[in-house]
Amino acid sequence: MASLSTHVLDTSRGRPAAGILVDLHVVRSGERQLLKTIVTNHEGKPREPLSSDGLEAGTYELTFHAGDYFRGIGTPLTDPPFLDHVVIRFGVDPAKGGYHVPLLLSPYGYSTYRGS
């Protein structure tokens, strides 16, 4: 079983993004199944682990509720917002160890990578 972690940095403000809702889904046969919903803390990290029991091999998605976050901190957004939900779909191979999927976020762009 592979572990999974994330964190979110608000690159428009140069600080961790606190209070972002993040959904973890597993994707099987094209169908998404919600496994967990977390909220980021003052460090931009989940307040609780994403995968307490670990993840099996497969395809997963992290959905970051970016629009709600930016509206909540008073950032002016277009209507509809350019980035409302940021969805990152990735594959997990437990033999490859843990997975860290950070998100660097602004109202008009984002970046991610497999971290350590």
Side-chain angles (χ1 to χ4, degrees):
M1 302 287 247
S3 63
L4 174 64
S5 61
T6 190
H7 75 270
V8 185
L9 299 176
D10 180 341
T11 58
S12 66
R13 296 174 43 192
R15 63 177 73 162
I20 290 190
L21 197 67
V22 183
D23 298 322
L24 171 63
H25 289 90
V26 62
V27 182
R28 294 187 183 113
S29 303
E31 298 292 322
R32 299 168 68 226
Q33 176 188 353
L34 180 65
L35 297 178
K36 189 163 204 170
T37 298
I38 59 92
V39 177
T40 59
N41 65 17
H42 68 283
E43 295 179 320
K45 298 176 181 177
R47 295 179 182 161
E48 58 187 70
L50 273 168
S51 59
S52 315
D53 300 330
L55 300 177
E56 298 176 355
T59 302
Y60 294 85
E61 287 182 355
L62 286 172
T63 302
F64 298 85
H65 296 251
D68 291 342
Y69 164 74
F70 285 118
R71 280 188 287 277
I73 62 170
T75 301
L77 299 175
T78 58
D79 186 19
F82 181 70
L83 295 175
D84 194 16
H85 295 97
V86 174
V87 180
I88 301 171
R89 183 177 280 197
F90 56 97
V92 168
D93 176 357
K96 302 292 184 193
Y99 287 76
H100 182 65
V101 183
L103 180 67
L104 308 176
L105 179 65
S106 81
Y108 296 99
Y110 68 91
S111 174
T112 190
Y113 55 93
R114 180 173 178 197
S116 57

